[in-house]
Amino acid sequence: MPDPDRRSDRARLAILGATTDLLAEVGYRRLSIEAIAARAGVGKQTIYRWWPSKGAVVFDALLEDAGATAEARALPDTGDIERDLRTVLRETVKELLDPDRDRIQRTITAEIQHDPVLAEELVARLLRPQMRATADRLQAAQEAGQLAADVDVDLAAELLFGPLFHRWLLRTAPLDARYADALVEHLLSGLSRPSERVQS
Amino acid sequence: MPDPDRRSDRARLAILGATTDLLAEVGYRRLSIEAIAARAGVGKQTIYRWWPSKGAVVFDALLEDAGATAEARALPDTGDIERDLRTVLRETVKELLDPDRDRIQRTITAEIQHDPVLAEELVARLLRPQMRATADRLQAAQEAGQLAADVDVDLAAELLFGPLFHRWLLRTAPLDARYADALVEHLLSGLSRPSERVQS
Amino acid sequence: MPDPDRRSDRARLAILGATTDLLAEVGYRRLSIEAIAARAGVGKQTIYRWWPSKGAVVFDALLEDAGATAEARALPDTGDIERDLRTVLRETVKELLDPDRDRIQRTITAEIQHDPVLAEELVARLLRPQMRATADRLQAAQEAGQLAADVDVDLAAELLFGPLFHRWLLRTAPLDARYADALVEHLLSGLSRPSERVQS
Amino acid sequence: MPDPDRRSDRARLAILGATTDLLAEVGYRRLSIEAIAARAGVGKQTIYRWWPSKGAVVFDALLEDAGATAEARALPDTGDIERDLRTVLRETVKELLDPDRDRIQRTITAEIQHDPVLAEELVARLLRPQMRATADRLQAAQEAGQLAADVDVDLAAELLFGPLFHRWLLRTAPLDARYADALVEHLLSGLSRPSERVQS
DNA sequence: GGCTAAGCGAGACGGTACGTCTTGTCTTTAG
DNA sequence: CTAAAGACAAGACGTACCGTCTCGCTTAGCC
């Protein structure tokens, strides 16, 4: 309904900024549209005009921050697949361990549980690119003969990030660089040998 | 402060029951203590007396339900490790795909993001036992010579459940029985062969 | 703090009306802001925004009603002071005996016991005007030679209304028209004769 | 229902004492049965067993205090009716001006507005005796020939106390000793002269 | 360059829920 | 076997926000 052309960028940025600030100060739970509007020096209607929910505002505010990070995390390609995977996983772990990122990331994760639309946006803009890049790197390694030809590189990427995020989100065990290394180690070496398996 | 000896079990169960019902009906977001009290025929104070937050009530309500489920999901041991893992993973997938369980499980997952105490309780009472059981089943297979002796069974369990929950929580891709099978398949066969790896 | 210019008259009148109705139905003690808001179809905040306490709302509601009454009770002046005073006192008695007015009036009287500010407002807007009018009527009679020149007309007014309200408020004896007449009778005839007094 | 013989005097006095204390500390409005029980070191049930309402407890507590005062205020009889009336009215004024008595008296007055039973008890135990005594003193004066034989002594008593309490309760004007004197003066002298009245 | 249709800030509104407090009843515990 | 202690159902308190709705006031952008 409202005309995007006439949208005030001043207001937009003030809202996003106030949201980021307040998120850090009081957390998602106690964050209110009222407070965002007040902090941003903006009428509540201006928020409701452009965002459908608190979650959406928060989401945009976080993406604003996360954007640069994601770009910067382009996968390295040194020719050594093991080293490159180690690098990217350790980096991911380090990021998740940073208190600020931790809070933001958890907030966004909690948020998408109840909002599939946001979920899709998050996946499309942050998660999928990262996994895609990892899978691409694996494929390059495959083409270089460093990996078996029958390896499903997408599945492989999930075998790296899946357990990592599982530990982090569900807190089943502490997350550290050694775990990242162990995942890479397993992926590249294989856990079991075909010869040792019984016939099923 | 209040004396647990004098706690009314009637009220406790009514509250937990009402919470479960309302969760399924309106979801976590629109679940209110007010509504729980009304549905349970209980004073609000009785809820506040025994639980510190809405999250805690929901959590207890969930555990009450999940208890039996968890017990019932004792791992099968048919002697065939592949079949057994397939069974347990497919079961887990099926459970996560059930709308009610999905909603409840997501709710609780979102909840623990901001509450490490709840997180630890969830892990201790639900997640850890399941992974422990899986790891134990793997160890039995190992002792039966169906798996290489150097396999880290705990890591193996994470390689199964990690990617599963990753897909489910972050919605990076649809979750189905085929994916469960693929995870088992990978774990037991190995993705890469040692002989094919380049020297690093 | 709130801006009186933007005040909704619709809400104001609905609140005052609901208050009057509920006062008559359940009395002051069991009157709740909650109920007023519900009956008026108004948010509680709208009440708290404009009135500091339940007493203040009730007070305004009463004055709204009493306003017209007070205006209408302009003193008659038939030329016959005794008849006019009888009329006004009997009218007052009749009003106090009406169950609705009785309840409201008692409520407000109880209320001002603990709130001098409300007291002053009540006196200024209702009580003082009535006594002033009565005193004025007495003065007119005085000027017409119907009363001694040295009579203090203000004191005289208190001698009429004081005993009346005393009976009514403290319930020391039943209130009726005969009592009103007796008070007028005494005021105009004098209880004791100067000639009969002993020297003091 | 409960047996008055078995009533614990210790508890009764503790309750009455706690009530008086709390009344002075927080006033009637914010006085709660809960607080009285806690302060008195008594179960709430013990209060509910013996008193029907908060008002009743307060009432008893206040009467406990007021009792002695009332007894002590026996009317003087010096033979000079004017002086005696002046004394008793001035005393009453002084009492009403004392902050503690003022608060207690107002509380009790507010209370009886909504409780005719309490009203009757107050009247019977405090108000009526005082007015009776005043009327009796007037009658003695009458018999001594100091007052006209046709004076209604009960009405006369109301003409003294009525305006006094009217001023005090409704705060229509400040209460002081001069006003007390003026009332006595009027009662004994008469406001108007019969000879000056017009024929009605 | 003036008109007009927006977006804007402000904030009152009808509501819902919060977490606390008190009421009056009922139950448990200790003397 | 009584009375304190206090849990309970009920419901009002006053506050915080929700999302909607006017208000005037900029502020474009089209005439």
Side-chain angles (χ1 to χ4, degrees), chain B:
Chain B
M1 205 65 131
D3 181 350
D5 292 351
R6 310 189 49 176
R7 182 167 190 179
S8 154
D9 220 54
R10 196 207 120 269
R12 201 186 119 263
L13 291 173
I15 290 165
L16 260 20
T19 302
T20 304
D21 291 356
L22 286 168
L23 256 189
E25 286 173 29
V26 304
Y28 182 82
R29 233 49 201 241
R30 272 177 300 190
L31 175 67
S32 70
I33 297 269
E34 207 110 295
I36 295 173
R39 175 77 68 105
V42 134
K44 282 198 290 174
Q45 200 57 49
T46 302
I47 298 180
Y48 285 110
R49 188 160 22 239
W50 302 110
W51 287 276
S53 68
K54 183 173 76 170
V57 185
V58 168
F59 190 82
D60 269 15
L62 170 67
L63 287 188
E64 197 83 350
D65 286 10
T69 311
E71 311 260 329
R73 202 173 42 225
L75 276 201
D77 186 347
T78 63
D80 179 347
I81 181 64
E82 180 163 9
R83 177 209 287 233
D84 290 352
L85 290 178
R86 273 198 153 97
T87 302
V88 72
L89 280 221
R90 284 179 170 193
E91 207 104 317
T92 302
V93 167
K94 195 159 66 183
E95 193 179 308
L96 294 176
L97 291 179
D98 171 67
D100 276 7
R101 297 297 302 176
D102 178 276
R103 167 150 26 189
I104 292 178
Q105 205 88 327
R106 285 192 189 280
T107 289
I108 205 77
T109 304
E111 201 53 29
I112 65 172
Q113 295 309 315
H114 301 296
D115 191 334
V117 176
L118 285 189
E120 179 46 34
E121 199 167 344
L122 173 72
V123 166
R125 290 170 64 176
L126 288 187
L127 266 30
R128 201 129 50 207
Q130 186 181 31
M131 300 199 61
R132 183 75 263 129
T134 304
D136 288 349
R137 180 64 191 84
L138 283 165
Q139 184 155 20
Q142 200 172 38
E143 281 158 9
Q146 297 164 338
L147 280 179
D150 63 349
V151 164
D152 177 340
V153 292
D154 290 313
L155 179 61
E158 289 188 83
L159 286 165
L160 291 172
F161 288 105
L164 213 64
F165 278 88
H166 182 250
R167 273 205 176 183
W168 176 67
L169 282 172
L170 298 180
R171 308 179 197 255
T172 46
L175 191 62
D176 52 30
R178 275 195 302 121
Y179 186 56
D181 291 351
L183 288 171
V184 173
E185 164 69 13
H186 164 268
L187 183 72
L188 296 182
S189 71
L191 241 181
S192 62
R193 309 286 139 57
S195 55
E196 289 170 298
R197 288 184 67 206
V198 295
Q199 258 47 27
S200 57

Side-chain angles (χ1 to χ4, degrees), chain A residues 156-168:
Chain A
E158 289 189 81
L159 285 166
L160 291 172
F161 289 104
L164 214 61
F165 279 87
H166 182 251
R167 273 206 177 183
W168 175 66

Side-chain angles (χ1 to χ4, degrees), chain D residues 48-118:
Chain D
Y48 284 111
R49 189 157 23 237
W50 302 108
W51 287 275
S53 71
K54 182 173 77 170
V57 185
V58 168
F59 192 81
D60 270 15
L62 297 184
L63 284 188
E64 198 84 349
D65 287 9
T69 311
E71 311 260 328
R73 202 171 44 226
L75 274 203
D77 186 348
T78 64
D80 179 347
I81 182 64
E82 180 163 8
R83 177 209 287 231
D84 290 352
L85 289 178
R86 271 195 155 98
T87 301
V88 72
L89 280 221
R90 284 179 171 192
E91 206 103 317
T92 302
V93 166
K94 196 158 67 182
E95 192 179 309
L96 294 177
L97 291 180
D98 171 67
D100 276 7
R101 299 296 305 172
D102 178 276
R103 179 187 341 226
I104 292 179
Q105 206 86 328
R106 283 191 191 280
T107 291
I108 215 162
T109 305
E111 199 53 30
I112 65 171
Q113 295 308 316
H114 301 294
D115 190 335
V117 177
L118 285 188

Side-chain angles (χ1 to χ4, degrees), chain C residues 28-29 82 106 112-113 123 128 151 158 167 169-172 179 186-188 191-192 197, chain D residues 28-29 82 106 112-113 123 128 151 158 167 169-172 179 186-188 191-192 197:
Chain C
Y28 184 82
R29 231 52 202 234
E82 179 163 8
R106 285 191 190 282
I112 65 172
Q113 296 309 315
V123 167
R128 201 127 51 206
V151 164
E158 289 190 81
R167 274 207 176 182
L169 282 171
L170 299 180
R171 306 178 197 255
T172 46
Y179 187 57
H186 163 266
L187 183 72
L188 296 181
L191 243 181
S192 61
R197 289 184 66 206
Chain D
Y28 182 82
R29 230 54 201 234
E82 180 163 8
R106 283 191 191 280
I112 65 171
Q113 295 308 316
V123 167
R128 201 126 55 207
V151 163
E158 290 189 83
R167 273 205 177 183
L169 282 172
L170 299 180
R171 307 180 198 251
T172 45
Y179 186 57
H186 163 267
L187 183 71
L188 296 182
L191 244 181
S192 63
R197 291 183 65 207

